[in-house]
Amino acid sequence: MITAKISCSTLRAPFHLVQKLLRMERVPPAASGVRAASTFLHDKAFVDGKWVSAKSGATFEVTNPSTGKVIGNVPDMTATDTEAAVKCAHKAFQSWKKRTAKERSIILRKWYDLVLQNKDELAKVLTAEQGKPTNEALAEVAYGAGFMEWFAEEAKRIYGDIVPSPTSSKRILILKQPAGVAGMITPWNFPNAMITRKACAAIAAGCSVVLKPAEETPYSALALCELAEAAGLPAGVLNVVTCSRDNAPSVGKVLCKDPLVSAISFTGSTVTGKILLEQSASTVKKASMELGGNAPFIVFETADIDAAVQGAMACKFRCSGQTCVSANRMLIQDSVYDVFVDKLAAVMKKELTVGDGFDKNTTQGPLINSKAVEKVESHVEDAVAKGAQVLLGGKRHSLGGSFFEPTLLRDVTVNMRCSQEETFGPLASVIRFKTEEEAVAIANDTSYGLAGYFFSKDLNQIWRVAELLETGIVGVNEGLLSTPEAPFGGFKQSGLGREGSKYGMEDFIEIKYVCMGGIQS
């Protein structure tokens, strides 16, 4: 176990003090076999089991979105650095794929144990670079660790088949084998869990990984590398290449076009996903895309309104609304519209507190950057100009920077930008509908289809609407959906493939048919 000399009171300390404490040496018990580590704030990338700089020596700054202050600098790597990482991963794959499923499982399980032992420190790093409240950061670390545990077990369950042959002299065997090097690009909103959901699936399948974390949140990725190494993951199986926004297109292009990369996995915008798919076509890679969303949140007159309000709070304001499954359009039936809006406003006033993520009273941290604030602000302005009414919030928070007030809009219509585009911020837009058919039509009238939610106590209605919603994930009387055991992914332009669950390794596995002939009965 790696133990940090940081007390719980650190959560409320100024960030410069937290950074200083994070740099304090952590000394593991002698029996653990884990080396001492100097910090979870690594200023180097991780390639082939080594902490490395960019070949050019260039670095870029990582800032705390709550304060705007610089946390530190990490390597600004280029296409050349990425090509080198891919070669290392390809070499490592040749031996990693030969490891037994049980051996891979044991290493993943050790990695899981180390993450849980260091959850507090990992959460502090996450809050510092992403801004979310400490309790949410702790929840994310636990959620991310869940994928380590899940895929540690699933590694041992990659079953093939023996198919009855139509010919007595032949036998038909179906084998499942690792695809090869997996390129990955992960987002800033869940900088721990989105890495484990992808990388642990690929590693469990027997693949090696080259991963580019979001430029806003590289430290969480590098911290996971430290613990992976301590868990015994061989050099080159997990490689993390850090780069700035300027170099991201060229680094992503290498991951998509390099013939040594067999699969690409991306979480981010649909616009970027389409570019990556086009680039990947040149080498016909396996592709897993978790893209944009425009989630409907429907409340029928048959619903428990109080339960629906609590579901809306959990769904809409987690991570300050910066989740791809966040309720983007709240559709409320006419007969309960006013009651729902009034109750939601009251709960928002009571439960939402904006502030620095290290403040124990904070429930709403900052948005990730100024562009995110500008988008939310523009959605509010557009809605108000077209007739919506601001009940709560509606403007930048008095804390300044990238803080925005939790906002509630009523009288929203389907032609407003907040209905047509993914807001990705703390904006609850409430639309009125009259019939079930109208609600379903509005919900499905989008090019996206990631998540959808509805609240109802009518069993017949529950079956009808659950089957009619054109989304890969449906929450019925529930606002929190994500768990390692369930498949995560969308319909339409929300992506390809599924992450998590027993299906989560399929994008990193090739199916091989072996025909054994010449068998004499």
Side-chain angles (χ1 to χ4, degrees):
M1 175 178 177
I2 303 175
T3 306
K5 302 173 183 177
I6 302 177
S7 69
C8 293
S9 63
T10 306
L11 299 179
R12 302 188 296 275
F15 181 68
H16 72 275
L17 177 59
V18 175
Q19 186 179 20
K20 180 179 178 181
L21 290 170
L22 281 168
R23 296 184 187 281
M24 294 175 68
E25 184 178 31
R26 301 188 300 281
V27 182
S32 72
V34 178
R35 66 172 177 78
S38 60
T39 178
F40 272 131
L41 290 176
H42 290 283
D43 61 359
K44 299 288 191 295
F46 190 73
V47 176
D48 201 23
K50 303 179 183 67
W51 298 100
V52 299
S53 301
K55 289 183 179 178
S56 66
T59 63
F60 67 98
E61 294 180 344
V62 181
T63 60
N64 179 340
S66 285
T67 64
K69 294 182 179 179
V70 175
I71 301 171
N73 296 271
V74 296
D76 191 3
M77 304 183 92
T78 65
T80 301
D81 294 301
T82 309
E83 288 167 356
V86 168
K87 289 178 182 177
C88 292
H90 187 258
K91 181 180 178 181
F93 170 65
Q94 307 311 313
S95 56
W96 182 243
K97 68 180 179 180
K98 296 176 184 177
R99 294 286 192 102
T100 66
K102 186 172 184 178
E103 288 176 307
R104 296 197 293 268
S105 174
I106 289 171
I107 291 173
L108 283 168
R109 178 68 196 202
K110 288 181 180 177
W111 195 9
Y112 163 78
D113 290 338
L114 287 170
V115 165
L116 289 190
Q117 290 165 15
N118 292 276
K119 62 183 184 300
D120 292 337
E121 295 93 308
L122 293 173
K124 291 181 179 71
V125 172
L126 201 163
T127 293
E129 64 179 352
Q130 201 278 339
K132 66 178 60 176
T134 300
N135 285 341
E136 282 194 23
L138 284 166
E140 181 184 336
V141 171
Y143 175 50
F147 289 105
M148 294 176 166
E149 180 185 38
W150 176 259
F151 287 117
E153 296 301 318
E154 287 299 295
K156 297 181 286 187
R157 298 185 177 94
I158 307 176
Y159 301 128
D161 293 292
I162 297 177
V163 179
S165 173
T167 306
S168 61
S169 63
K170 297 179 181 178
R171 299 292 183 270
I172 298 173
L173 281 68
I174 311 299
L175 307 181
K176 291 186 177 180
Q177 298 181 327
V181 177
M184 299 181 176
I185 302 173
T186 55
W188 50 261
N189 56 342
F190 288 88
N192 177 292
M194 295 305 94
I195 290 172
T196 60
R197 191 165 75 183
K198 294 176 185 293
C200 292
I203 290 168
C207 296
S208 56
V209 171
V210 178
L211 185 145
K212 187 202 85 66
E215 55 270 20
E216 295 91 347
T217 55
Y219 286 118
S220 289
L222 297 171
L224 286 171
C225 290
E226 176 182 332
L227 296 179
E229 183 182 28
L233 193 68
V237 175
L238 175 64
N239 307 274
V240 169
V241 174
T242 58
C243 72
S244 65
R245 187 177 296 274
D246 289 341
N247 282 337
S250 61
V251 168
K253 191 172 183 179
V254 170
L255 296 179
C256 290
K257 287 184 169 291
D258 195 314
L260 294 181
V261 178
S262 300
I264 182 73
S265 181
F266 169 71
T267 295
S269 73
T270 296
V271 171
T272 302
K274 289 178 179 179
I275 294 171
L276 299 177
L277 280 172
E278 288 182 359
Q279 293 174 347
S280 299
S282 64
T283 49
V284 195
K285 286 181 177 24
K286 296 173 74 70
S288 172
M289 297 278 148
E290 198 268 281
L291 307 177
N294 190 2
F297 186 97
I298 307 170
V299 180
F300 292 105
E301 60 188 3
T302 55
D304 178 332
I305 302 302
D306 290 328
V309 168
Q310 288 303 318
M313 291 293 293
C315 177
K316 174 71 256 184
F317 295 104
R318 184 166 55 105
C319 197
S320 297
Q322 299 174 115
T323 80
C324 53
V325 293
S326 175
N328 203 60
R329 298 167 293 156
M330 293 189 181
L331 312 177
I332 315 301
Q333 197 154 16
D334 187 67
S335 59
V336 295
Y337 185 91
D338 291 329
V339 173
F340 176 87
V341 169
D342 289 345
K343 287 191 172 187
L344 180 59
V347 175
M348 287 175 62
K349 288 180 181 178
K350 179 181 179 182
E351 296 185 2
L352 299 182
T353 301
V354 178
D356 185 281
F358 286 107
D359 186 329
K360 68 175 183 178
N361 297 314
T362 294
T363 65
Q364 298 285 284
L367 300 188
I368 192 65
N369 53 37
S370 60
K371 288 186 177 180
V373 175
E374 291 167 4
K375 184 175 185 181
V376 179
E377 193 171 45
S378 69
H379 279 196
V380 173
E381 291 172 352
D382 173 79
V384 170
K386 293 175 180 175
Q389 179 183 351
V390 178
L391 292 185
L392 291 176
K395 61 184 184 299
R396 298 177 186 233
H397 197 275
S398 58
L399 289 173
S402 57
F403 289 97
F404 200 91
E405 295 178 342
T407 300
L408 176 59
L409 297 180
R410 65 170 293 155
D411 303 324
V412 173
T413 59
V414 296
N415 66 322
M416 297 175 183
R417 286 183 61 197
C418 59
S419 298
Q420 298 292 324
E421 302 172 9
E422 185 177 29
T423 302
F424 234 63
L427 169 59
S429 305
V430 189
I431 302 170
R432 190 187 301 264
F433 73 88
K434 292 184 179 180
T435 67
E436 177 186 308
E437 292 76 16
E438 181 187 4
V440 171
I442 294 172
N444 290 338
D445 187 21
T446 174
S447 59
Y448 300 105
L450 184 55
Y453 310 81
F454 69 93
F455 280 70
S456 170
K457 292 189 289 185
D458 182 334
L459 186 58
N460 292 318
Q461 184 176 57
I462 287 172
W463 276 110
R464 286 194 305 270
V465 177
E467 292 177 348
L468 288 170
L469 287 181
E470 296 171 353
T471 60
I473 307 168
V474 177
V476 183
N477 297 321
E478 180 56 62
L480 292 177
L481 304 170
S482 301
T483 180
E485 294 81 1
F488 192 101
F491 291 3
K492 299 189 276 191
Q493 293 187 37
S494 283
L496 301 169
R498 294 296 181 270
E499 295 183 345
S501 81
K502 69 176 184 178
Y503 306 103
M505 288 192 289
E506 290 186 357
D507 289 315
F508 307 108
I509 288 174
E510 296 283 11
I511 295 177
K512 178 182 289 184
Y513 158 41
V514 178
C515 179
M516 299 183 66
I519 297 173
Q520 297 179 359
S521 301

